[in-house]
């Protein structure tokens, strides 16, 4: 046994004074490029915890930037508005404002010592790798801009999720575009927040991962970033590792999280055939400490902007390394997800006597999960597309997502066709959606759709009518009174007490239950 630490072994990043008085070395101005789901909340928390650092979030999207300057923020996250107001509106809180939002990208880049890259990295839609590889053009253009306008050395932080060795690409672009003599140190600091709980995750992260080159300048840059987080994160949770391990760890984390969901969803198909109950199976396996209970909830399928694209990116990387079996393994997680959405739709059609033509389906929820207004890759897109193709009339209600956004998401599906457009109605309430409906399809696990548990609470800050509806739950007896007979509930999230709904006359179909 030897206790000597290898030089590349992950370690707590740095030591802070017990009184937390350590000041970030040299960092007085941070610029975050990208005012989205990651850039906005992350910058708001950094600013709120580091009153001496000026944090400016920049984006070319003027509408988004203007919304960040109001109380109707462009994204909804529980607790986000309070953190933003605290750091942004110093006049209200007697605190000097240190959080700013701007479209003046050049000026903010030029002034900052540390730049957070939080731009989108979607799946490529054109050319080589289309449908699989990550699109790095947004990152590249942000970095070109840095090279163009920088007059001083900068630390550049990959917060976006990137393929392995993206840092090398960014360095290459900087070397080619920047003024001679300037130094740019690239760090990987992937973001692990989950939408819907972003503020909680940012305030109390499981870990902060900082990947750097193991050169003196790389380690110094990692220390400077660690000190920013050190204002509120325990030093033991700030981990410094190799730059490329950090890039890969983010893709791997998302792949493993999605893999748990696809595993449970694959089991749910078996449950329906053998008379088992997936909630009981998940509970039983989750009690094993080696497995743990989280991310074992069966559903209609995962959505969101990250899981699918990050798994496809990981598989593409494996394939480009000629690791074809590895690529197939990761891709099968996405395949099961598609299968689950399709299987759910087939069940709806089967239960409704093999025809949806002329029938009306009320869809409860369009967001990809509760407590967010994000609809990217939501399972609702596929399910709604499928039932429209079968001829159903679809009446959608989501507490947060606006009609324009729903129609935008559906524009590349059957709904783009004139006939399907007429089949689609976006409703203002669950009751409006249910009027004359043959079935309710629950696609988002919003608390208000469940007939069990506590009343709903939601803070303000985005979307329509959030305050006036807070505390309300769907009255299922009222729903029953509005629907045609026989009436069905297809619970794609397993959030209802099926027995209670059956007592009201519903036929209830849940995921993973016969
Ligand atoms: N959304 C999540 O839950 C989450 C969690 C962890 C990691 N990530 C990763 O973080 C990154 C950002 O994700 P997001 O959900 O915040 O994306 P987003 O689409 O919400 O925001 C990205 C923003 O970047 C802006 N942008 C793009 N290129 C720009 C440029 N050159 N200059 C200025 N602004 C530019 C866009 O206008 C957009 O507003 C992605 O790589 C994603 O995979 C996302």
């Amino acid at each position: 046994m030897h206790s000597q630490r290898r030089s590349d072994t992950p370690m707590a990043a740095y030591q802070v004074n017990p009184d937390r008085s350590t000041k970030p070395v040299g960092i007085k101005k941070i610029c975050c490029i990208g005012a989205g789901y990651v850039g906005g909340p992350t910058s708001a928390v950094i600013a709120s915890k580091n009153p001496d650092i000026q944090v400016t979030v920049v984006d070319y999207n003027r509408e988004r930037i203007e919304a960040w300057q109001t109380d109707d923020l462009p994204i909804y996250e529980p607790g986000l508005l309070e953190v933003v107001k605290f750091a942004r509106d110093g006049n209200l809180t007697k605190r000097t404002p240190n959080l700013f939002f701007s479209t003046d990208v050049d000026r903010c880049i030029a002034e900052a010592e540390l730049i957070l890259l939080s731009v989108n990295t979607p799946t490529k839609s054109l050319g080589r790798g289309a449908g699989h590889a990550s699109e790095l053009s947004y990152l590249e253009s942000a970095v070109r801009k840095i090279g163009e306008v920088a007059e001083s050395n900068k630390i550049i932080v990959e917060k976006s999720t990137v393929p392995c060795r993206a840092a090398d690409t960014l360095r290459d672009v900087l070397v080619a575009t920047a003024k001679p003599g300037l130094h740019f140190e690239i760090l990987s600091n992937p973001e692990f927040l989950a939408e819907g709980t972003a503020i909680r995750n940012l305030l109390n992260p499981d870990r902060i991962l900082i990947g750097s080159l193991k050169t003196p300048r790389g380690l110094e840059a990692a220390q400077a970033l660690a000190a920013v987080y050190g204002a509120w994160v325990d030093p033991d949770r700030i981990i410094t590792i190799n730059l490329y391990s950090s890039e890969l760890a983010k893709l791997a984390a998302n792949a493993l999280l999605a893999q748990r969901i696809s595993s449970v969803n694959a089991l749910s198909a078996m449950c329906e055939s053998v008379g088992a109950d997936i909630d009981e199976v998940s509970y039983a396996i989750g009690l094993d400490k080696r497995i743990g209970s989280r991310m074992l909830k069966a559903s209609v399928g995962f959505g969101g902007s990250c899981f699918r694209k990050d798994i496809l990116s990981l598989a593409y990387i494996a394939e480009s390394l000629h690791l074809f079996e590895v690529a197939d393994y990761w891709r099968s997680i996405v395949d099961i997800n598609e299968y689950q959405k399709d299987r759910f739709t087939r069940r709806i059609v089967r239960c409704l006597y093999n025809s949806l033509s002329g029938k009306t389906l009320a869809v409860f929820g369009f967001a990809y999960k509760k407590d967010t207004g994000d609809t990217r890759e939501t399972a609702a897109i596929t399910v709604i597309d499928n039932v429209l193709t079968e001829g159903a009339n679809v009446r959608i209600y989501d507490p947060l997502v606006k009609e324009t956004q729903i129609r935008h998401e559906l524009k590349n599906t059957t709904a783009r066709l004139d006939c399907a457009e007429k089949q689609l109605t976006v409703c203002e309430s669950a009751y409006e959606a249910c009027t004359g409906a043959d079935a309710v399809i629950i696609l988002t696990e919003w608390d208000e759709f469940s007939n069990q548990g506590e009343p709903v609470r939601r803070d303000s800050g985005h979307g329509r009518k959030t305050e006036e509806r807070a505390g309300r739950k769907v009255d299922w007896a009222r729903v029953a009174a509005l629907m045609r007979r026989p009436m069905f509930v297809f619970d794609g999230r397993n959030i209802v007490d099926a027995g209670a709904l059956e007592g009201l006359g519903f036929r209830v179909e849940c995921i993973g239950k016969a």
Side-chain angles (χ1 to χ4, degrees):
M1 290 281 286
H2 62 94
S3 59
Q4 209 176 354
R5 201 189 256 282
R6 276 181 49 200
S7 64
D8 57 351
T9 305
M11 52 194 258
Y14 78 117
Q15 299 298 312
V16 282
N17 296 339
D19 65 357
R20 303 234 163 188
S21 62
T22 303
K23 290 282 175 282
V25 189
I27 305 298
K28 288 283 163 218
K29 287 191 179 174
I30 294 177
C31 170
C32 174
I33 307 182
Y37 286 87
V38 166
T42 307
S43 300
V45 169
I46 289 177
S48 74
K49 296 293 183 183
N50 287 281
D52 297 339
I53 300 181
Q54 180 181 312
V55 182
T56 309
V57 188
V58 298
D59 204 299
Y60 288 133
N61 185 334
R62 180 169 294 278
E63 210 183 315
R64 241 185 181 181
I65 288 296
E66 283 173 0
W68 279 109
Q69 290 161 337
T70 69
D71 286 355
D72 192 11
L73 302 181
I75 64 171
Y76 174 77
E77 272 297 333
L80 175 63
L81 182 62
E82 286 66 28
V83 179
V84 168
K85 282 170 83 120
F86 179 73
R88 185 194 65 185
D89 305 340
N91 53 335
L92 295 177
T93 56
K94 309 280 183 242
R95 180 184 188 274
T96 309
N98 69 326
L99 176 64
F100 304 92
F101 297 91
S102 172
T103 49
D104 191 348
V105 178
D106 294 18
R107 179 182 58 79
C108 298
I109 288 175
E111 288 177 356
E113 295 109 16
L114 188 146
I115 298 172
L116 303 173
L117 297 170
S118 303
V119 303
N120 35 333
T121 50
T123 304
K124 262 185 102 173
S125 58
L126 291 173
R128 210 171 136 78
H132 301 273
S134 293
E135 174 64 80
L136 293 185
S137 62
Y138 300 98
L139 263 185
E140 185 188 323
S141 98
V143 165
R144 276 180 187 277
K145 181 53 81 182
I146 297 172
E148 211 178 283
V149 303
E151 299 285 349
S152 56
N153 296 346
K154 312 225 176 270
I155 298 171
I156 296 174
V157 182
E158 294 171 342
K159 277 219 84 63
S160 301
T161 306
V162 294
C164 309
R165 299 199 84 100
D168 293 355
T169 307
L170 303 187
R171 195 179 301 110
D172 204 52
V173 173
L174 282 164
V175 167
T177 53
K179 296 180 182 61
L182 294 184
H183 180 79
F184 300 93
E185 195 60 47
I186 298 181
L187 300 177
S188 162
N189 170 222
E191 185 46 65
F192 292 101
L193 66 80
E195 287 178 29
T197 53
I199 295 301
R200 206 164 3 116
N201 302 149
L202 287 163
L203 289 173
N204 188 22
D206 291 341
R207 76 307 207 184
I208 297 291
L209 207 56
I210 300 178
S212 73
L213 293 179
K214 300 291 173 182
T215 58
R217 284 182 125 162
L219 294 170
E220 195 183 314
Q223 292 279 321
L225 180 60
V228 173
Y229 286 107
W232 80 97
V233 180
D234 198 273
D236 290 344
R237 293 195 178 195
I238 303 176
I239 308 299
T240 52
I241 59 173
N242 167 309
L243 182 54
Y244 310 113
S245 306
S246 175
E247 289 178 338
L248 184 56
K250 172 62 194 178
L251 289 179
N254 272 358
L256 262 78
L257 291 171
Q259 178 262 329
R260 283 172 74 96
I261 299 173
S262 277
S263 296
V264 166
N265 283 342
L267 286 167
S268 76
M270 297 181 72
C271 287
E272 287 165 29
S273 297
V274 302
D277 179 328
I278 191 63
D279 284 342
E280 292 178 355
V281 174
S282 289
Y283 176 67
I285 30 186
L287 290 174
D288 187 325
K289 289 196 177 64
R290 295 168 301 175
I291 297 172
S293 60
R294 297 179 65 187
M295 303 294 281
L296 290 181
K297 181 85 180 158
S299 71
V300 58
F302 61 74
S305 65
C306 295
F307 281 175
R308 181 185 161 85
K309 88 164 164 73
D310 291 348
I311 293 167
L312 292 176
S313 172
L314 193 62
Y316 186 77
I317 295 166
E319 209 162 64
S320 60
L321 298 169
H322 298 277
L323 303 170
F324 300 110
E325 290 80 359
V326 177
D328 287 348
Y329 171 72
W330 292 121
R331 272 203 199 104
S332 70
I333 295 167
V334 175
D335 294 343
I336 287 288
N337 200 49
E338 294 307 313
Y339 166 74
Q340 186 76 345
K341 290 185 268 186
D342 195 47
R343 210 171 65 77
F344 185 67
T345 319
R346 279 189 272 121
R347 192 166 174 191
I348 295 170
V349 176
R350 195 173 63 246
C351 289
L352 290 171
Y353 315 109
N354 290 315
S355 174
L356 300 185
S357 183
K359 294 194 173 123
T360 299
L361 307 179
V363 170
F364 280 14
F366 193 85
Y368 87 92
K369 63 164 148 158
K370 75 171 182 177
D371 289 337
T372 180
D374 197 349
T375 54
R376 292 176 289 182
E377 298 284 346
T378 174
I381 297 171
T382 314
V383 173
I384 290 169
D385 185 30
N386 288 350
V387 296
L388 284 172
T389 310
E390 293 279 341
N393 296 310
V394 177
R395 299 169 67 79
I396 306 169
Y397 166 67
D398 187 284
L400 210 56
V401 183
K402 293 173 183 160
E403 175 161 0
T404 44
Q405 194 177 337
I406 292 175
R407 291 197 183 274
H408 172 78
E409 288 289 8
L410 292 171
K411 76 174 187 306
N412 292 324
T413 66
T414 315
R416 75 184 181 281
L417 305 172
D418 278 353
C419 55
E421 177 78 21
K422 289 188 199 103
Q423 290 165 238
L424 197 70
T425 311
V426 179
C427 301
E428 284 292 309
S429 74
Y431 308 110
E432 186 191 339
C434 288
T435 305
D438 298 275
V440 173
I441 307 176
I442 300 174
L443 295 181
T444 312
E445 74 280 25
W446 287 107
D447 291 341
E448 65 195 79
F449 299 152
S450 172
N451 58 343
Q452 42 194 355
E454 295 297 305
V456 188
R457 283 199 194 289
R458 184 166 313 122
D459 52 5
S460 57
H462 176 71
R464 52 177 203 212
K465 300 180 183 154
T466 47
E467 278 155 296
E468 75 191 55
R469 274 191 7 271
R472 287 195 211 161
K473 279 199 151 206
V474 166
D475 175 351
W476 282 93
R478 187 172 161 199
V479 168
L482 292 167
M483 289 179 60
R484 285 210 311 171
R485 268 52 177 173
M487 48 185 190
F488 290 81
V489 172
F490 297 96
D491 184 0
R493 297 289 182 160
N494 286 359
I495 55 166
V496 298
D497 173 350
L501 289 189
E502 279 159 6
L504 293 171
F506 288 98
R507 299 183 192 175
V508 184
E509 300 286 328
C510 300
I511 302 272
K513 299 171 198 235

